[in-house]
Amino acid sequence: MFEIGTSLREARLRQALDFPEAEQATKIRGKYLRALEDEQFDVLPAQTYVKGFLRSYAEYLGLDGQLYVDEYNSRYVVGEEETPFRPRQSSVGARSPRIQSRVVLLTLLGIGLVTALVIVAWTRGEPQKQSIPGLSGAATTTPAAAPVVETPKPKAAPKLARLEIVASRGSCWLQVHRGSATGRILFQGTLDRGEHQLFVGRRLWIDVGVPEVITAKLNGKVVRFPTGGPKIVLVTPRGIKPVTGV
C-alpha cells in the first residue's frame, strides 16, 4: 500500500513540473490534478473520471497508471450489494373473473402480434433502417458513390520529449536544462552505474560526460547519444541531435 497523492506529487516535483504544464500535456484541468495529489477524489465528477484521470496523470509522470488505479479501487471503491427484487404484492384474489379473463386475452393477443411481426421480418430478410423523429433528419435517397480510399494520416508527433537515461555501462556526469542551454536545471550530477533518471520537456539541453556508457529511450523508443567524448545535445520529441558552437 502507498500514498497515491504523495507519490504523484513527489514524481511531479522531481521533474520540476508545474500544474499549467501538466494540464496542457494531459488535457486535465489543473484543479483536478491538484485534487488527485491531495486525494480529494470527491472534487472530481465521478469514479470513472477519477480512474481515467489517475491513469493518465500517473503515466504522464512516468509511473505505472494501472498500479495507481488498482490502489484507488482497493482503498476507495466499495462494492454495493444488489438489492433483491421484491415484486409488489397485489390482491390477485380480489380481481373479478371478468378482469382476469381480459388480462389473459390481451396477453395472448400481444404474444400473437409479436410472433406475427417476427415471422414477417424473418421472411422478408433484413429490415430496413428506420428513421426516428427527433434523432435524425429526413431520410433521403442518394445514389451509390464510388468508394473513396483514404490515405492514412501520419501520426502527430508527441508534444513532449520523455527521455529516460540509464547509466548501464558505468558512471556518467550529466547536466540537463529545460528549454535552452541556460534554462532551468533539471539535473546536475553523476549517475552511478545502474541508476536512471527521467526528464520531460519540449526541449532538453543535455551535457553528457561519457555518452558511451549510457543508454536512453525517447518516448518509449531506444535512441543513441553521439559518441566520441563529452557532448552537448538537444533533445526534442523528434529525436536527438548534437549542438555545435555552444
Side-chain angles (χ1 to χ4, degrees):
M1 178 179 295
F2 61 92
E3 296 298 329
I4 296 175
T6 302
S7 178
L8 293 173
R9 184 181 297 108
E10 291 178 351
R12 177 177 60 81
L13 295 178
R14 186 167 56 248
Q15 302 176 42
L17 297 172
D18 50 22
F19 284 115
E21 185 173 0
E23 177 179 357
Q24 184 177 7
T26 61
K27 307 304 180 185
I28 301 173
R29 296 178 63 181
K31 72 174 186 177
Y32 292 151
L33 298 179
R34 192 183 303 275
L36 292 176
E37 291 189 2
D38 295 338
E39 294 192 14
Q40 296 179 350
F41 301 119
D42 55 342
V43 175
L44 282 80
Q47 287 185 355
T48 303
Y49 287 89
V50 175
K51 297 176 185 179
F53 289 172
L54 193 59
R55 183 191 304 274
S56 299
Y57 191 31
E59 292 179 352
Y60 164 70
L61 296 175
L63 306 171
D64 185 349
Q66 185 59 46
L67 181 63
Y68 282 76
V69 172
D70 292 342
E71 182 66 17
Y72 170 78
N73 288 333
S74 65
R75 293 174 56 186
Y76 295 97
V77 178
V78 179
E80 297 180 357
E81 294 183 357
E82 296 182 357
T83 303
F85 174 74
R86 296 181 178 178
R88 293 181 57 188
Q89 295 181 353
S90 59
S91 55
V92 178
R95 295 182 180 179
S96 65
R98 180 176 298 178
I99 296 177
Q100 294 181 6
S101 299
R102 289 182 180 178
V103 172
V104 173
L105 180 59
L106 290 175
T107 303
L108 293 177
L109 288 175
I111 294 174
L113 180 59
V114 172
T115 303
L117 291 175
V118 171
I119 294 175
V120 172
W122 181 267
T123 55
R124 292 188 178 183
E126 183 180 359
Q128 297 181 353
K129 295 182 179 179
Q130 297 180 354
S131 175
I132 302 176
L135 296 182
S136 61
T140 57
T141 303
T142 56
V148 179
V149 179
E150 296 184 357
T151 302
K153 296 181 180 181
K155 293 183 179 179
K159 295 182 179 180
L160 293 176
R162 296 171 56 85
L163 181 68
E164 182 179 4
I165 297 179
V166 181
S168 57
R169 302 181 185 88
S171 300
C172 178
W173 183 85
L174 292 175
Q175 187 178 59
V176 183
H177 295 260
R178 174 182 289 157
S180 65
T182 58
R184 181 194 302 175
I185 296 178
L186 301 181
F187 180 84
Q188 181 175 351
T190 300
L191 281 182
D192 293 330
R193 184 171 184 174
E195 291 185 343
H196 73 280
Q197 287 287 337
L198 175 66
F199 306 102
V200 181
R202 292 186 180 87
R203 296 163 61 89
L204 300 171
W205 291 71
I206 305 179
D207 188 352
V208 188
V210 188
E212 291 82 2
V213 302
I214 65 174
T215 56
K217 287 185 178 180
L218 177 60
N219 291 334
K221 296 182 179 180
V222 177
V223 292
R224 296 184 181 277
F225 276 73
T227 58
K231 296 288 183 181
I232 299 178
V233 298
L234 172 62
V235 181
T236 66
R238 296 180 177 275
I240 298 177
K241 62 179 181 179
V243 178
T244 57
V246 177

